[in-house]
Coordinates of all heavy atoms in Angstrom, one line a residue:
V101 N -2.6 1.2 16.4 CA -2.7 0.8 15.0 C -3.2 -0.6 15.0 O -2.5 -1.5 15.5 CB -1.4 1.1 14.3 CG1 -1.6 0.6 12.8 CG2 -1.0 2.5 14.4
Q102 N -4.2 -0.9 14.3 CA -4.7 -2.2 14.1 C -3.6 -3.1 13.5 O -2.9 -2.6 12.7 CB -5.9 -2.3 13.2 CG -7.2 -1.6 13.9 CD -8.4 -1.9 13.0 OE1 -8.8 -3.0 12.8 NE2 -9.1 -0.9 12.6
P103 N -3.5 -4.3 13.9 CA -2.4 -5.2 13.5 C -2.2 -5.3 12.0 O -1.1 -5.3 11.5 CB -2.7 -6.6 14.1 CG -3.5 -6.2 15.3 CD -4.3 -5.0 14.9
R104 N -3.3 -5.4 11.2 CA -3.2 -5.5 9.8 C -2.6 -4.3 9.1 O -2.2 -4.4 7.9 CB -4.5 -5.9 9.2 CG -5.6 -4.9 9.1 CD -6.9 -5.4 8.6 NE -8.0 -4.6 8.8 CZ -8.8 -4.6 9.8 NH1 -8.6 -5.4 10.8 NH2 -9.9 -3.8 9.9
Y105 N -2.6 -3.1 9.8 CA -2.0 -1.9 9.2 C -0.7 -1.6 9.8 O -0.1 -0.5 9.4 CB -3.0 -0.8 9.5 CG -4.3 -1.0 8.8 CD1 -5.5 -1.2 9.6 CD2 -4.5 -0.9 7.4 CE1 -6.7 -1.4 8.9 CE2 -5.7 -1.1 6.8 CZ -6.8 -1.3 7.5 OH -8.0 -1.5 6.9
R106 N -0.1 -2.4 10.6 CA 1.2 -2.0 11.2 C 2.3 -2.2 10.1 O 2.1 -3.0 9.2 CB 1.5 -2.9 12.4 CG 0.5 -2.6 13.5 CD 0.8 -3.4 14.8 NE -0.3 -3.1 15.7 CZ -0.6 -3.8 16.7 NH1 0.0 -5.0 16.9 NH2 -1.6 -3.5 17.5
G107 N 3.3 -1.5 10.3 CA 4.5 -1.5 9.4 C 4.3 -0.6 8.2 O 5.1 -0.6 7.3
M108 N 3.2 0.2 8.2 CA 3.0 1.2 7.1 C 3.4 2.6 7.5 O 3.2 3.5 6.7 CB 1.5 1.2 6.8 CG 1.1 -0.2 6.2 SD -0.7 -0.2 6.0 CE -1.0 1.1 4.8
G109 N 4.0 2.7 8.7 CA 4.3 4.1 9.1 C 3.2 4.9 9.8 O 3.4 6.1 10.0
I110 N 2.1 4.3 10.1 CA 0.9 5.0 10.6 C 1.3 5.5 12.0 O 0.9 6.6 12.4 CB -0.3 4.1 10.6 CG1 -0.7 3.9 9.1 CG2 -1.4 4.8 11.4 CD1 -1.9 2.8 9.0
G111 N 1.9 4.7 12.9 CA 2.2 5.1 14.2 C 3.1 6.3 14.2 O 2.9 7.3 15.0
R112 N 4.1 6.3 13.3 CA 5.0 7.4 13.2 C 4.3 8.7 12.7 O 4.6 9.7 13.3 CB 6.2 7.0 12.4 CG 7.2 8.1 12.3 CD 8.5 7.8 11.5 NE 9.4 8.8 11.5 CZ 10.4 9.0 12.4 NH1 10.5 8.1 13.4 NH2 11.2 10.0 12.3
R113 N 3.4 8.5 11.8 CA 2.7 9.6 11.3 C 1.8 10.2 12.3 O 1.7 11.5 12.5 CB 1.8 9.2 10.1 CG 2.6 9.1 8.9 CD 1.7 8.5 7.8 NE 2.4 8.2 6.6 CZ 2.1 8.7 5.4 NH1 0.9 9.4 5.2 NH2 2.7 8.4 4.3
L114 N 1.1 9.4 13.2 CA 0.3 9.9 14.3 C 1.2 10.7 15.2 O 0.8 11.8 15.7 CB -0.4 8.8 14.9 CG -1.6 8.2 14.1 CD1 -2.1 6.8 14.7 CD2 -2.8 9.2 14.0
M115 N 2.3 10.1 15.6 CA 3.2 10.8 16.6 C 3.7 12.1 16.0 O 3.8 13.1 16.7 CB 4.3 9.8 17.0 CG 3.9 8.6 17.8 SD 3.1 9.0 19.4 CE 4.5 9.4 20.3
A116 N 4.1 12.1 14.8 CA 4.6 13.3 14.1 C 3.4 14.4 14.1 O 3.7 15.6 14.3 CB 5.1 13.1 12.8
R117 N 2.2 13.9 13.9 CA 1.1 14.9 13.8 C 0.9 15.5 15.2 O 0.7 16.7 15.4 CB -0.2 14.2 13.4 CG -1.5 15.0 13.5 CD -1.6 16.2 12.6 NE -1.7 15.8 11.2 CZ -2.7 15.6 10.5 NH1 -3.9 15.7 11.0 NH2 -2.6 15.2 9.3
L118 N 0.9 14.7 16.3 CA 0.8 15.2 17.6 C 2.0 16.1 18.0 O 1.8 17.1 18.6 CB 0.6 14.1 18.6 CG -0.9 13.7 18.9 CD1 -1.6 13.4 17.6 CD2 -1.0 12.6 19.9
A119 N 3.2 15.8 17.6 CA 4.3 16.6 17.9 C 4.2 18.0 17.2 O 4.4 19.0 17.8 CB 5.6 16.0 17.4
R120 N 3.6 18.0 16.0 CA 3.4 19.2 15.3 C 2.3 20.1 16.0 O 2.4 21.3 16.2 CB 3.0 18.9 13.8 CG 3.0 20.1 12.9 CD 2.9 19.7 11.4 NE 2.1 18.5 11.0 CZ 2.7 17.3 10.7 NH1 4.0 17.2 10.7 NH2 1.9 16.3 10.5
L121 N 1.2 19.4 16.5 CA 0.2 20.1 17.2 C 0.8 20.7 18.5 O 0.5 21.8 18.9 CB -0.9 19.2 17.6 CG -1.9 18.8 16.5 CD1 -2.9 17.7 16.9 CD2 -2.7 20.1 15.9
A122 N 1.7 19.9 19.2 CA 2.3 20.4 20.4 C 3.1 21.7 20.1 O 3.0 22.6 20.9 CB 3.1 19.3 21.1
V123 N 3.8 21.7 19.1 CA 4.7 22.8 18.8 C 3.8 24.0 18.3 O 4.0 25.2 18.8 CB 5.7 22.5 17.6 CG1 6.3 23.7 17.1 CG2 6.7 21.5 18.1
E124 N 2.8 23.8 17.5 CA 1.9 24.8 17.2 C 1.1 25.5 18.3 O 0.9 26.7 18.3 CB 0.9 24.3 16.1 CG 1.4 24.0 14.7 CD 0.4 23.2 13.9 OE1 -0.7 22.9 14.3 OE2 0.8 22.9 12.7
R125 N 0.8 24.7 19.3 CA 0.1 25.1 20.5 C 0.9 25.7 21.6 O 0.5 26.0 22.6 CB -0.8 24.0 21.0 CG -1.9 23.6 20.0 CD -2.7 22.5 20.5 NE -3.7 22.0 19.5 CZ -4.6 21.1 19.7 NH1 -4.7 20.5 20.8 NH2 -5.5 20.8 18.7
G126 N 2.2 25.7 21.3 CA 3.2 26.3 22.3 C 3.4 25.4 23.5 O 3.8 25.8 24.6
C127 N 3.3 24.1 23.3 CA 3.5 23.2 24.4 C 5.0 23.0 24.6 O 5.8 22.9 23.7 CB 2.9 21.8 24.1 SG 1.1 21.8 23.9
G128 N 5.3 22.8 25.9 CA 6.7 22.6 26.3 C 7.1 21.1 26.3 O 8.3 20.8 26.3
R129 N 6.1 20.3 26.3 CA 6.3 18.8 26.4 C 5.3 18.0 25.6 O 4.1 18.5 25.5 CB 6.3 18.3 27.9 CG 7.4 18.9 28.7 CD 7.2 18.4 30.2 NE 8.3 18.9 31.0 CZ 8.2 19.0 32.3 NH1 7.1 18.7 32.9 NH2 9.3 19.5 32.9
F130 N 5.7 16.8 25.2 CA 4.8 15.9 24.6 C 5.0 14.5 25.4 O 6.2 14.1 25.3 CB 5.0 15.7 23.1 CG 4.2 14.7 22.4 CD1 3.0 14.1 22.9 CD2 4.7 14.2 21.2 CE1 2.4 13.1 22.2 CE2 4.0 13.2 20.5 CZ 2.9 12.7 21.0
E131 N 4.1 14.1 26.2 CA 4.4 12.9 27.1 C 3.3 11.9 26.9 O 2.2 12.1 26.5 CB 4.4 13.4 28.5 CG 5.5 14.4 28.8 CD 5.4 14.9 30.3 OE1 4.4 15.4 30.7 OE2 6.4 14.9 30.9
W132 N 3.7 10.7 27.4 CA 2.8 9.6 27.4 C 3.4 8.5 28.3 O 4.6 8.6 28.7 CB 2.5 9.0 26.0 CG 3.7 8.5 25.3 CD1 4.3 7.3 25.3 CD2 4.6 9.3 24.5 NE1 5.4 7.2 24.6 CE2 5.7 8.5 24.1 CE3 4.7 10.7 24.2 CZ2 6.7 8.9 23.2 CZ3 5.7 11.1 23.3 CH2 6.7 10.2 22.9
S133 N 2.6 7.5 28.6 CA 3.0 6.3 29.4 C 3.0 5.1 28.4 O 2.3 5.0 27.5 CB 2.1 6.1 30.6 OG 2.2 7.1 31.5
V134 N 3.8 4.1 28.8 CA 3.8 2.8 28.0 C 3.9 1.7 29.1 O 4.7 1.8 30.0 CB 4.9 2.8 26.9 CG1 6.3 3.0 27.6 CG2 4.8 1.6 26.0
L135 N 3.2 0.6 28.8 CA 3.4 -0.6 29.7 C 4.8 -1.1 29.6 O 5.4 -1.2 28.5 CB 2.4 -1.6 29.3 CG 0.9 -1.3 29.5 CD1 0.0 -2.2 28.8 CD2 0.6 -1.3 31.0
D136 N 5.3 -1.4 30.8 CA 6.8 -1.8 30.8 C 7.1 -3.1 30.0 O 8.2 -3.4 29.6 CB 7.3 -1.9 32.2 CG 6.6 -2.9 33.1 OD1 5.6 -3.6 32.6 OD2 6.9 -3.0 34.2
W137 N 6.0 -3.9 29.7 CA 6.3 -5.2 29.0 C 6.1 -5.0 27.5 O 6.4 -5.9 26.7 CB 5.3 -6.2 29.4 CG 3.9 -5.9 29.3 CD1 3.0 -5.6 30.3 CD2 3.0 -5.9 28.1 NE1 1.8 -5.3 29.8 CE2 1.7 -5.6 28.5 CE3 3.3 -6.2 26.8 CZ2 0.7 -5.5 27.6 CZ3 2.2 -6.2 25.9 CH2 1.0 -5.8 26.3
N138 N 5.7 -3.8 27.0 CA 5.5 -3.6 25.7 C 6.7 -3.2 24.9 O 6.9 -2.0 24.4 CB 4.4 -2.5 25.4 CG 3.8 -2.5 24.1 OD1 4.4 -3.0 23.2 ND2 2.7 -1.8 24.0
A139 N 7.6 -4.2 24.7 CA 9.0 -3.9 24.1 C 8.8 -3.3 22.7 O 9.6 -2.4 22.3 CB 9.8 -5.2 24.1
P140 N 7.9 -3.8 21.8 CA 7.8 -3.1 20.5 C 7.4 -1.6 20.6 O 8.1 -0.9 19.9 CB 6.6 -3.9 19.8 CG 6.6 -5.2 20.5 CD 6.9 -4.9 22.0
A141 N 6.5 -1.3 21.5 CA 6.2 0.1 21.6 C 7.4 1.0 22.2 O 7.7 2.0 21.7 CB 5.0 0.3 22.5
I142 N 8.0 0.4 23.2 CA 9.2 1.1 23.8 C 10.3 1.3 22.7 O 10.9 2.3 22.6 CB 9.7 0.3 25.0 CG1 8.7 0.4 26.1 CG2 11.0 1.0 25.4 CD1 8.9 -0.5 27.3
G143 N 10.5 0.3 21.9 CA 11.5 0.3 20.8 C 11.2 1.4 19.8 O 12.0 2.2 19.4
F144 N 9.9 1.4 19.5 CA 9.4 2.5 18.5 C 9.6 3.9 19.1 O 10.1 4.8 18.4 CB 7.9 2.2 18.2 CG 7.2 3.4 17.6 CD1 7.5 3.7 16.3 CD2 6.2 4.1 18.2 CE1 6.8 4.8 15.6 CE2 5.5 5.1 17.6 CZ 5.8 5.5 16.3
Y145 N 9.2 4.1 20.4 CA 9.4 5.4 21.0 C 10.8 5.8 21.1 O 11.2 7.0 20.9 CB 8.8 5.4 22.4 CG 7.2 5.1 22.4 CD1 6.6 4.4 23.4 CD2 6.5 5.7 21.4 CE1 5.3 4.2 23.3 CE2 5.1 5.5 21.4 CZ 4.5 4.7 22.3 OH 3.2 4.5 22.3
R146 N 11.7 4.9 21.3 CA 13.2 5.2 21.4 C 13.7 5.6 19.9 O 14.5 6.6 19.8 CB 14.0 4.0 21.9 CG 13.8 3.7 23.3 CD 14.1 4.8 24.3 NE 13.6 4.4 25.7 CZ 12.4 4.7 26.1 NH1 11.6 5.4 25.5 NH2 12.2 4.4 27.4
R147 N 13.2 4.9 18.9 CA 13.5 5.3 17.6 C 13.1 6.6 17.2 O 13.7 7.3 16.3 CB 13.0 4.2 16.5 CG 13.7 2.9 16.7 CD 13.4 1.9 15.5 NE 12.0 1.6 15.4 CZ 11.4 0.6 16.1 NH1 12.1 0.0 17.0 NH2 10.1 0.4 15.9
I148 N 12.0 7.1 17.7 CA 11.6 8.5 17.3 C 12.2 9.5 18.2 O 11.9 10.7 18.1 CB 10.0 8.6 17.3 CG1 9.4 8.4 18.6 CG2 9.5 7.7 16.2 CD1 7.9 8.7 18.6
G149 N 13.0 9.1 19.2 CA 13.7 10.1 20.0 C 13.2 10.3 21.4 O 13.6 11.2 22.2
A150 N 12.2 9.5 21.8 CA 11.6 9.7 23.2 C 12.6 9.1 24.2 O 13.3 8.2 23.9 CB 10.3 8.9 23.3
V151 N 12.5 9.7 25.4 CA 13.4 9.3 26.5 C 12.5 8.8 27.7 O 11.6 9.5 28.0 CB 14.2 10.5 27.0 CG1 15.1 10.1 28.2 CG2 15.1 11.0 25.9
G152 N 12.8 7.7 28.2 CA 12.1 7.1 29.3 C 12.4 8.0 30.6 O 13.5 8.5 30.8
M153 N 11.4 8.2 31.4 CA 11.5 9.0 32.6 C 11.9 8.2 33.7 O 11.1 7.8 34.6 CB 10.3 9.8 32.9 CG 9.9 10.7 31.8 SD 11.1 12.0 31.4 CE 11.1 12.9 33.0
E154 N 13.2 7.8 33.9 CA 13.7 7.0 35.0 C 13.4 7.7 36.3 O 13.6 8.8 36.4 CB 15.2 6.8 34.8 CG 15.6 6.0 33.6 CD 14.9 4.6 33.5 OE1 14.8 3.9 34.5 OE2 14.6 4.2 32.4
G155 N 13.0 6.9 37.3 CA 12.7 7.4 38.6 C 11.3 7.8 38.8 O 10.9 8.2 39.9

Side-chain angles (χ1 to χ4, degrees):
V101 176
Q102 292 191 56
R104 68 181 170 275
Y105 297 111
R106 293 184 186 154
M108 298 173 61
I110 294 171
R112 184 176 182 88
R113 285 174 181 230
L114 286 165
M115 293 298 283
R117 172 66 63 91
L118 269 56
R120 195 165 33 256
L121 285 172
V123 170
E124 290 169 0
R125 295 176 182 187
C127 295
R129 296 178 177 155
F130 173 23
E131 298 176 309
W132 59 92
S133 297
V134 61
L135 292 167
D136 60 4
W137 58 258
N138 194 344
I142 293 168
F144 166 67
Y145 297 141
R146 294 300 171 268
R147 287 191 301 278
I148 64 170
V151 177
M153 299 298 296
E154 297 299 324

